[in-house]
Amino acid sequence: MLKAIEYVRAFPLGKAKIVELTYKSENVVAKRIYDALGFVETGEILSCGEVRAKLVL
């Protein structure tokens, strides 16, 4: 995940403002990792039950 964020921050495909992802709400390990990386939940829960989170670059 760190490499992916680093790649996006390098703007190889143009300037990005945010990185978005989703994860299962019961996956507490994923939540901890994404929280530690600076991702913030948007409050949106998809119909499949996944939580949407974003990282502002």
Side-chain angles (χ1 to χ4, degrees):
M1 182 54 76
L2 290 173
K3 287 291 187 185
I5 294 169
E6 186 179 304
Y7 178 78
V8 172
R9 282 190 169 136
F11 307 123
L13 301 174
K15 187 158 175 86
K17 295 180 182 180
I18 62 171
V19 175
E20 291 184 312
L21 55 77
T22 63
Y23 60 90
K24 295 282 186 186
S25 59
E26 64 270 11
N27 190 341
V28 294
V29 174
K31 179 178 176 19
R32 285 186 197 138
I33 291 169
Y34 298 140
D35 285 348
L37 291 171
F39 283 86
V40 177
E41 292 181 8
T42 64
E44 182 181 359
I45 299 176
L46 305 179
S47 60
C48 62
E50 292 193 356
V51 176
R52 184 180 300 267
K54 69 178 181 177
L55 172 66
V56 177
L57 299 176

